[in-house]
Amino acid sequence: DKGGWSSFMAKEISEEPEAVANTIRGRVKDGQVVIPELDGLDELFSGITRVIIIACGTAAYAGQVGKYAIEQWARVPVDVELAHEFRYRDPVIGDDTLIVSISQSGETMDTLMAVKYARERGAKTLSICNTQGATIPRESDAIVYTHAGPEVAVASTKAFVAQITALYLLGLHVGRVRGSLGATEAAQHVLELESIPDKIRQILEDEQGHIEQLAHWMADTRSVLFLGRHVGYPIAMEGALKLKELAYIHAEGFAAGELKHGPIALIEPGQPVFVIVPSPRGSAVLHPKVVSTIEEIRARGARVIAIAEAGDAAVLPYADEVLRIPLAGPLFEPLLAVVPLHIYAMGLSTAKGLDVDQPRNLAKSVTVE
Ligand code: F6R
């Protein structure tokens, strides 16, 4: 039941605040992360020498965001691998490897096969999943459910923010267990995470109309590029994937620093480019670098749509449009910056008269290899 919304996707984007809040609920005690499902695993978390996150599509982009946080907090190397690539080479894994799978449906065949493969080779497996009792969690040693609620639209939206939330809870927990993260710092990050649902609500209230209007103006666009750095990089790729699958246009996400190594050749007058701008306070080193990237592409005629923190005036001289997100710590910005991109992809698909919930050639859960 769409509950009065024009599509399931519109409803599910509106539920992104609750998806984050419900995934946190019951997992914070006295300001610290407590995950009852992971009781008894302290020895495992202390002993691992690496983490490999395995997923496909949007879930893999959530994993790439999670990598930055888990490495920073838990001081353990994290690789993110597409399940179908991992499974068909000869990966170096053993009992000191923790495999973290991420899947909304819990039924994605590629991810399931990769988890089974890793388990047979002695790795411990932890599943982040949105569907109670699905096959992948049943095949895993430990489960952390995301509580985004059922997701009906084929394109994943609220599950994505819930996956990042679960990875952050995991990173904070493992960081505390390994002793790499102090209680005070962990408590600050928990507070920050708990403030995210209201900040997403604010984006929906302040920017949704503006973004849908922008998408409407851009209904004839043939190609859109997305740039980001650090945790903004996987968000750029998520923005591009959503546009491909929903609006059927060419879209690509790049690491902003990679631009001068090739992709800048694509910039011609009128090319729309979304740029995810890191916070000027939180990312004092990267912020000016991204602003100078914007300056460079603007000089070559790009039409720049900046996603920037409220109050960041440095982008104003170069951006054609600015979509504002509330202030958040650097690692937490992806949970905000992705919201305008989800709205934009839905808006462009709607402006083209397409079915946002059922894009062509796609299924909600991919149960074949
Ligand atoms: C994109 C999308 C897909 C899924 C991918 C994994 O919007 O929905 O890329 O993220 O097929 O699906 P799950 O999470 O069910 O394993």
Side-chain angles (χ1 to χ4, degrees):
D1 175 23
K2 288 183 231 169
W5 293 92
S6 55
S7 63
F8 280 105
M9 188 173 175
K11 175 174 180 274
E12 287 161 8
I13 291 175
S14 81
E15 290 167 347
E16 289 190 355
E18 287 73 36
V20 173
N22 291 341
T23 299
I24 300 170
R25 182 161 304 125
R27 291 170 172 159
V28 172
K29 209 178 149 199
D30 301 327
Q32 296 292 321
V33 172
V34 176
I35 308 179
E37 299 93 312
L38 303 181
D39 268 0
L41 296 180
D42 285 8
E43 206 178 314
L44 169 71
F45 292 142
S46 302
I48 50 174
T49 61
R50 63 193 293 225
V51 173
I52 304 177
I53 296 178
I54 288 177
C56 301
T58 281
Y61 296 143
Q64 290 198 27
V65 173
K67 168 189 164 90
Y68 288 84
I70 296 172
E71 286 195 341
Q72 184 163 325
W73 297 332
R75 305 313 300 160
V76 59
V78 181
D79 292 312
V80 184
E81 295 233 22
L82 295 169
H84 35 88
E85 287 296 322
F86 175 79
R87 166 79 180 75
Y88 292 104
R89 52 188 185 80
D90 192 2
V92 183
I93 44 176
D95 57 10
D96 59 347
T97 310
L98 175 67
I99 301 289
V100 177
S101 70
I102 310 173
S103 176
Q104 188 287 128
S105 62
E107 302 295 345
T108 300
M109 184 59 78
D110 288 316
T111 309
L112 173 63
M113 296 308 281
V115 167
K116 283 188 171 172
Y117 176 88
R119 217 179 174 191
E120 282 160 14
R121 276 153 191 78
K124 284 281 175 280
T125 56
L126 185 156
S127 152
I128 293 179
C129 181
N130 197 47
T131 311
Q132 295 279 333
T135 311
I136 296 170
R138 277 196 275 115
E139 291 286 340
S140 303
D141 298 304
I143 313 167
V144 176
Y145 282 110
T146 47
H147 296 295
E151 195 177 62
V152 178
V154 165
S156 187
T157 53
K158 63 176 180 174
F160 178 73
V161 289
Q163 285 159 351
I164 294 174
T165 304
L167 286 163
Y168 280 23
L169 291 169
L170 180 68
L172 292 170
H173 176 68
V174 175
R176 291 292 295 131
V177 170
R178 291 170 69 86
S180 50
L181 186 66
T184 315
E185 195 193 336
Q188 279 164 2
H189 296 315
V190 168
L191 274 181
E192 180 92 53
L193 193 57
E194 289 179 321
S195 77
I196 294 296
D198 277 341
K199 292 176 183 174
I200 298 179
R201 269 181 212 111
Q202 201 178 322
I203 299 170
L204 296 171
E205 271 166 35
D206 296 351
E207 293 285 0
Q208 181 143 10
H210 175 198
I211 299 163
E212 283 174 350
Q213 186 67 62
L214 179 69
H216 201 81
W217 291 330
M218 292 174 72
D220 295 329
T221 302
R222 306 275 299 269
S223 152
V224 181
L225 305 180
F226 295 82
L227 300 179
R229 274 190 98 121
H230 194 257
V231 280
Y233 169 37
I235 297 302
M237 293 192 287
E238 163 67 1
L241 175 63
K242 284 295 175 289
L243 213 53
K244 288 172 201 163
E245 68 177 328
L246 295 171
Y248 315 156
I249 62 175
H250 170 253
E252 234 179 309
F254 300 108
E258 191 65 9
L259 205 64
K260 57 184 167 305
H261 302 287
I264 198 163
L266 288 169
I267 306 291
E268 55 186 18
Q271 171 68 52
V273 185
F274 278 76
V275 184
I276 299 149
V277 185
S279 156
R281 302 160 305 114
S283 310
V285 177
L286 290 182
H287 176 265
K289 292 188 191 294
V290 172
V291 172
S292 82
T293 300
I294 294 180
E295 224 179 311
E296 273 169 44
I297 58 174
R298 189 69 186 301
R300 290 163 177 80
R303 191 158 165 239
V304 175
I305 303 128
I307 300 180
E309 188 177 89
D312 179 357
V315 296
L316 289 174
Y318 316 109
D320 297 273
E321 295 281 341
V322 183
L323 309 177
R324 291 296 184 183
I325 57 173
L327 277 60
L331 284 169
F332 295 87
E333 284 163 21
L335 288 163
L336 305 179
V338 75
V339 179
L341 298 180
H342 284 166
I343 299 169
Y344 174 73
M346 175 176 71
L348 199 60
S349 171
T350 307
K352 291 181 74 171
L354 302 172
D355 183 344
V356 281
D357 287 339
Q358 296 282 347
R360 69 185 178 201
N361 309 338
L362 290 166
K364 181 66 184 161
S365 98
V366 185
T367 52
V368 290
E369 260 196 86

